[in-house]
Amino acid sequence: EVAPEILESKLLGLAWEFLLLHLSALASLVQWYSIGGVKNLIQEQKFLLDEPDAQEKRAMLVAFYKKHNPGQVAQVDDIMGAYTADAIQESCLRRYDDDPFKPPPMAAMEPDAQAKRAILVAFYKKHNPGQVAQVDDIMASSTITDIQ
C-alpha cells in the first residue's frame, strides 16, 4: 500500500502539471487573439458572395432551392453572404443528396442546345459515326464537362 502522504503529493504534482499545461495553452490563445488571429481567420474566409462567379452560382443556387426547398429561395443572398461555396455545397449534398453547383445537362441549356447538337453530330460523323444516332441521348444525360 502507498502511504497517504505520497499519494497526496503525487496527485498534487499531477494537478500542477495539468494546470500549467492549460495555462500555457490559454496564454497562447490570448496571444493569438491579441495579434488579430480571429480577424485574420475571418478575413481568410471567402464567402460565396465575394467570389468572381457569384452571379452564376447565385442563379444555380436559386434553381437548386426552387427544386429542393422553395422556402429557401428568398434566403439565397443571406446564405451566400454567410457561407463559403464549399460549405454550401457540403450542406446541400448532406441534406438533399444533390450538388447545387453541378453543371446542368446539355439539353437543358437552351438556346445553344441546337448549336451544340450540330457540333456533336459533326464530331461523331467524323470520329465515330456509330454514335450519331445517340447524340440526343448523350445530350440529355451529359453535362458540358462530361462531353468536353
Side-chain angles (χ1 to χ4, degrees):
E1 253 185 56
V2 178
E5 356 9 276
I6 294 174
L7 187 57
E8 183 179 338
S9 174
K10 286 190 180 227
L11 285 174
L12 189 57
L14 287 173
W16 274 110
E17 283 182 41
F18 179 81
L19 182 61
L20 290 175
L21 177 69
H22 284 81
L23 282 176
S24 174
L26 183 59
S28 296
L29 185 59
V30 167
Q31 181 182 13
W32 176 77
Y33 179 79
S34 68
I35 58 172
V38 173
K39 182 179 177 185
N40 293 337
L41 183 65
I42 290 171
Q43 287 176 346
E44 287 174 14
Q45 288 272 23
K46 188 160 184 118
F47 298 111
L48 181 55
L49 197 58
D50 301 326
E51 291 188 10
D53 59 348
Q55 290 307 313
E56 179 184 339
K57 287 194 174 175
R58 183 188 187 284
M60 294 173 95
L61 201 53
V62 166
F64 179 86
Y65 279 125
K66 280 182 180 177
K67 177 181 176 184
H68 291 287
N69 189 351
Q72 286 290 92
V73 172
Q75 312 303 161
V76 165
D77 291 326
D78 293 337
I79 292 168
M80 290 177 64
Y83 300 98
T84 63
D86 289 341
I88 294 169
Q89 189 173 31
E90 185 180 309
S91 174
C92 290
L93 284 167
R94 189 173 51 253
R95 184 172 290 163
Y96 305 107
D97 196 31
D98 199 1
D99 182 352
F101 303 125
K102 72 180 174 196
M106 278 188 65
M109 298 187 68
E110 296 297 336
D112 295 330
Q114 290 305 317
K116 288 181 175 83
R117 184 184 187 285
I119 292 168
L120 276 177
V121 167
F123 176 83
Y124 283 126
K125 277 183 181 178
K126 182 177 180 180
H127 298 286
N128 190 351
Q131 286 291 98
V132 172
Q134 274 39 52
V135 166
D136 291 324
D137 293 336
I138 292 167
M139 288 182 67
S141 65
S142 302
T143 63
I144 292 174
T145 55
D146 291 338
I147 294 173
Q148 291 177 344

